[in-house]
Amino acid sequence: MLSVDVGGLVAHQVKATVLPNMAGEQVLLGMAYLKHIEVWLAGGQMRLRPYVGP
């Protein structure tokens, strides 16, 4: 398990696989990370912030 930090949004104890030989400059984030983050679209941009449960 790893801690994943994307622009200061840190999720701890995330199951992750690092693929250093992927083509291009894009990053793939899976649900193991995204379930810790709230994601929405605004003005054509994807926005992220920490998820605060109910």
Side-chain angles (χ1 to χ4, degrees), residues 2-50:
L2 300 171
S3 292
V4 179
D5 181 340
V6 176
L9 296 173
V10 181
H12 300 283
Q13 297 183 352
V14 175
K15 290 183 181 179
T17 301
V18 177
L19 302 171
N21 295 323
M22 285 184 65
E25 296 292 321
Q26 297 180 358
V27 175
L28 175 65
L29 296 173
M31 290 307 298
Y33 173 77
L34 291 174
K35 71 181 181 183
H36 298 275
I37 305 299
E38 184 176 349
V39 180
W40 77 101
L41 293 176
Q45 295 183 341
M46 182 169 42
R47 304 288 181 136
L48 306 173
R49 66 179 165 211

